[in-house]
Amino acid sequence: MPFHKPNRTQLLLASVVLMLPFAGMAETVPKADAPATTVEQSSVSEAGAYLAAGVAASESDYAAAADWYGRALAGDANNAALLEGAAMANIGVGHMEEAARLARALAKTGAKSQIGTVALIADDAKQQDFAAILKLQAGGSSAGAVLDNLVKAWAKLGLGRMSEAIEDFDKIAKTKGLESFGLYHKALALASAGDYEGADKIMSGKVSGVFAINRRGVIASVEILSQLERNPDAVEMIDRNFAPGNDPEVDDLRRRLAAGEPVPYTIARNATEGIGEVFYSMATAVNGEAEASYTLLHARSAAYLRPDNTEAELLVAGLLEQLGQHALATEAYALVAPTDPNFHIAEIGRANATFAAGRKEAALEILQALVRTHGDVLRVQMALADAMRREGRFEDAWKAYDAALKMVPTPGPEHWVLFYSRGVASDQMGKYDDAEADFRRAMALSPNEPELLNYLGYSLVDHGLKLDEALGLIKRAVIMRPDNGAILDSLGWAYYRLGRYKEALPAIERASLRMAVDATVTDHLGDVYWAVGRKREAEYQWRRALSYGPDDKLAARLRLKLEKGLDAVLADEGAPPLKPLEAAAATP
């Protein structure tokens, strides 16, 4: 059985469990006047469960947290902190019904909780109990002012109080900073009631001006236009917002519209779906700004109320990856059906989460299977190629990049990365002429990509070719990314290969500060120290480089340098000797 190094959560949980017998030792010794069976071990276990739950929650380990909170609640069922933590843990896992049960128990304690309120709103909306939502709000429970007001409007719509709902949406639309929320959801509400003309007037900007909408907002507008028998306008809107070939769902929508097919309105057909859209709007609005766990709270609720909202499912999975919960992320990606137009996106995500969990071969198998079913999708070929390159399978990577390039008969600036990536694979296979040709084709498409400039410049330096041009390319990359350790290393190495050792030193030292445990950068620093006469420091850096897990080739060369010195190694390799420091300093 392979040994897996435990993470911080597992270690802390283990320490809690190990502490329990000792923590309870004083209580397990019977007093003289007490029965021999009087032991308070159960309370000790509850305390341990409480501590373990807190540790798991701090690590966003929702599965473990849900289990430990459940154990702790067995002995303290009315503890508000435990109930709130358990509710969030169950939301994190995706157990929304259990989260709602816990939230109801939490509400009975009199405690106010945003997490609990979100769970209750989601559950009441799922049950179409919109009166319960309004009662919850009237009792002072809040999920946040913006969400509260949008949910209230949709709940009134669900109760048939359309005029009041529209008034509430209008109030939000007139609130500074919230205009787009109010307008968007008012348009969806009108569309849900069949008022497509009113919805279009809002979405087109005729009522209150143009406002920002996301991908689902564009699709909503397109569906509304189709319901108004304006398919050509809908096609034009798709063409303005989406490039062909990048989004199979949108491509299929465009095809149907162009064929004259009436497309139904699907984004928010009723109040339950409208509240789901509110949660999704909030999740996308705060994504990248708020803590991932806060965004997850809303994204899980959106997916619960609208299981066919693939964008919400993908957002949930991505957030779980961000939180390091790769197993849960894999489960979330797997919820997207093979018939879904975004299935390939979900499978690429599932492969990435599987790889991050340490199951590299399984990740490759997912991508290889995806190529068999979706090999005509450029993004799929790129994902397989990138995975192969990451695993050092450069010939397989080259084949996949080549297949991807054959799918692009007329490459544009956005396709520079295809040539660049195929060039990297060629370079790693020892086919440098092919690699350089691809790098230069990539530069012709997009001449100011720092990563590309750096790689081409460094590879020219490494092969001892066109060193002056190489230095110029790297300097351009440094201007764009002045704090990038890899680019600074390239700059220093170019100076070194040109014999300009004193100029090389500050760049390599800066690179080493930013990439402190990189074997190659540390090796370069040692070479430059040797070249400027600081030989003891050079040997120290080579020893450091050996400790950072270099590949076999670099490790062997490092040992030779420590044994013989850099000058002898260069002589054995037939490489030009180092320039005398005085001559190097005089190099223009």
Side-chain angles (χ1 to χ4, degrees):
M1 179 181 294
F3 173 76
H4 298 285
K5 183 179 180 181
N7 60 28
R8 180 171 173 266
T9 300
Q10 292 167 328
L11 289 171
L12 287 171
L13 292 178
S15 70
V16 169
V17 173
L18 289 170
M19 285 163 50
L20 296 183
F22 299 99
M25 191 172 289
E27 270 103 10
T28 61
V29 179
K31 296 179 182 179
D33 56 349
T37 56
T38 302
V39 179
E40 295 183 357
Q41 186 65 37
S42 60
S43 64
V44 175
S45 297
E46 290 154 18
Y50 180 90
L51 291 172
V55 171
S58 71
E59 296 285 335
S60 301
D61 188 350
Y62 297 115
D67 178 53
W68 284 110
Y69 276 122
R71 298 188 194 191
L73 282 167
D76 194 1
N78 297 314
N79 185 305
L82 289 175
L83 287 165
E84 183 178 57
M88 183 63 221
N90 277 277
I91 290 171
V93 174
H95 296 165
M96 299 299 293
E97 292 87 353
E98 176 62 10
R101 186 191 70 77
L102 292 160
R104 295 192 194 287
L106 175 60
K108 289 179 180 178
T109 69
K112 301 297 182 184
S113 163
Q114 186 174 14
I115 292 169
T117 302
V118 166
L120 291 175
I121 289 172
D123 188 64
D124 288 337
K126 189 77 168 181
Q127 307 304 321
Q128 299 182 34
D129 191 349
F130 304 112
I133 292 174
L134 296 180
K135 183 179 179 181
L136 180 70
Q137 292 186 342
S141 294
S142 173
V146 180
L147 193 141
D148 287 345
N149 289 326
L150 289 169
V151 165
K152 178 171 68 173
W154 276 107
K156 289 179 179 179
L157 184 147
L159 292 169
R161 294 153 58 179
M162 185 69 176
S163 297
E164 293 180 48
I166 295 302
E167 288 178 8
D168 286 345
F169 285 126
D170 284 338
K171 287 179 185 177
I172 300 167
K174 292 174 183 176
T175 303
K176 188 174 181 180
L178 303 180
E179 296 89 347
S180 60
F181 287 104
L183 290 169
Y184 177 59
H185 281 274
K186 180 182 177 181
L188 298 186
L190 291 173
S192 75
D195 184 1
Y196 297 114
E197 286 192 12
D200 175 60
K201 286 179 181 178
I202 295 172
M203 297 299 284
S204 65
K206 292 176 184 176
V207 172
S208 301
V210 177
F211 58 95
I213 53 176
N214 57 20
R215 177 183 179 276
R216 282 178 68 79
V218 175
I219 291 175
S221 294
V222 166
E223 292 176 346
I224 289 166
L225 288 169
S226 184
Q227 288 297 300
L228 291 169
E229 300 182 353
R230 293 169 55 189
N231 276 21
D233 292 337
V235 170
E236 183 182 342
M237 185 166 197
I238 286 177
D239 291 343
R240 285 200 310 268
N241 288 277
F242 301 101
N246 292 331
D247 191 324
E249 182 179 11
V250 171
D251 289 345
D252 181 64
L253 184 59
R254 188 191 188 287
R255 178 192 59 75
R256 291 161 57 198
L257 290 163
E261 179 183 336
V263 174
Y265 172 71
T266 64
I267 295 298
R269 296 165 294 190
N270 51 53
T272 294
E273 293 181 357
I275 293 173
E277 200 65 25
V278 170
F279 281 118
Y280 183 69
S281 294
M282 294 303 300
T284 55
V286 302
N287 188 27
E289 301 294 331
E291 289 185 7
S293 58
Y294 178 81
T295 309
L296 180 65
L297 174 68
H298 296 85
R300 278 288 197 193
S301 300
Y304 175 59
L305 291 175
R306 193 69 189 269
D308 61 346
N309 183 350
T310 305
E311 290 179 77
E313 294 286 7
L314 293 174
L315 178 57
V316 165
L319 290 165
L320 289 167
E321 277 195 89
Q322 185 180 335
L323 290 164
Q325 301 307 305
H326 305 300
L328 287 175
T330 301
E331 292 175 9
Y333 283 123
L335 292 174
V336 179
T339 55
D340 193 291
N342 292 304
F343 175 71
H344 68 286
I345 297 174
E347 285 295 273
I348 291 170
R350 187 163 74 93
N352 289 336
T354 301
F355 180 88
R359 299 169 56 214
K360 297 180 181 180
E361 285 302 317
L364 287 175
E365 287 172 7
I366 291 170
L367 293 173
Q368 288 166 331
L370 186 62
V371 166
R372 289 193 289 272
T373 59
H374 291 70
D376 58 339
V377 179
L378 180 64
R379 186 171 179 177
V380 170
Q381 290 287 355
M382 280 289 291
L384 177 62
D386 289 343
M388 291 296 187
R389 183 169 63 129
R390 182 176 57 201
E391 286 302 289
R393 294 169 58 172
F394 298 111
E395 187 172 347
D396 290 330
W398 188 95
K399 290 176 182 177
Y401 286 127
D402 191 57
L405 277 166
K406 287 175 180 175
M407 297 166 64
V408 186
T410 308
E414 70 275 15
H415 297 117
W416 72 271
V417 70
L418 285 171
F419 289 101
Y420 165 75
S421 299
R422 189 176 69 173
V424 171
S426 293
D427 186 33
Q428 294 296 323
M429 292 161 62
K431 298 179 179 180
Y432 183 71
D433 289 343
D434 292 342
E436 185 179 348
D438 271 344
F439 294 149
R440 294 197 182 278
R441 289 188 69 181
M443 280 186 63
L445 292 171
S446 188
N448 294 309
E449 301 293 339
E451 184 179 8
L452 171 59
L453 293 170
N454 178 59
Y455 197 104
L456 175 55
Y458 182 85
S459 60
L460 287 171
V461 168
D462 211 39
H463 288 84
L465 302 170
K466 306 167 190 171
L467 294 179
D468 289 330
E469 179 194 6
L471 181 60
L473 293 170
I474 296 167
K475 282 183 174 180
R476 285 170 57 194
V478 170
I479 290 171
M480 288 182 271
R481 298 284 190 274
D483 295 320
N484 184 287
I487 296 175
L488 288 168
D489 175 64
S490 297
L491 177 64
W493 198 239
Y495 279 130
Y496 168 83
R497 293 298 292 268
L498 286 165
R500 295 160 62 174
Y501 307 133
K502 288 188 176 179
E503 291 173 271
L505 187 55
I508 293 282
E509 286 181 329
R510 286 170 60 200
S512 181
L513 286 173
R514 287 161 177 78
M515 303 177 70
V517 294
D518 185 279
T520 299
V521 173
T522 307
D523 173 47
H524 287 173
L525 180 59
D527 287 7
V528 174
Y529 276 147
W530 185 278
V532 298
R534 295 162 61 175
K535 295 187 176 182
R536 285 190 178 180
E537 290 170 273
E539 291 170 352
Y540 172 72
Q541 297 303 332
W542 292 332
R543 288 191 183 91
R544 281 184 62 220
L546 269 174
S547 72
Y548 298 149
D551 60 36
D552 292 343
K553 183 178 178 181
L554 178 55
R557 195 167 187 269
L558 284 164
R559 292 188 184 97
L560 282 174
K561 285 191 283 189
L562 285 166
E563 179 185 341
K564 299 181 177 183
L566 179 57
D567 298 296
V569 170
L570 292 174
D572 290 346
E573 294 172 344
L578 295 173
K579 292 184 179 182
L581 192 56
E582 295 78 10
T587 302

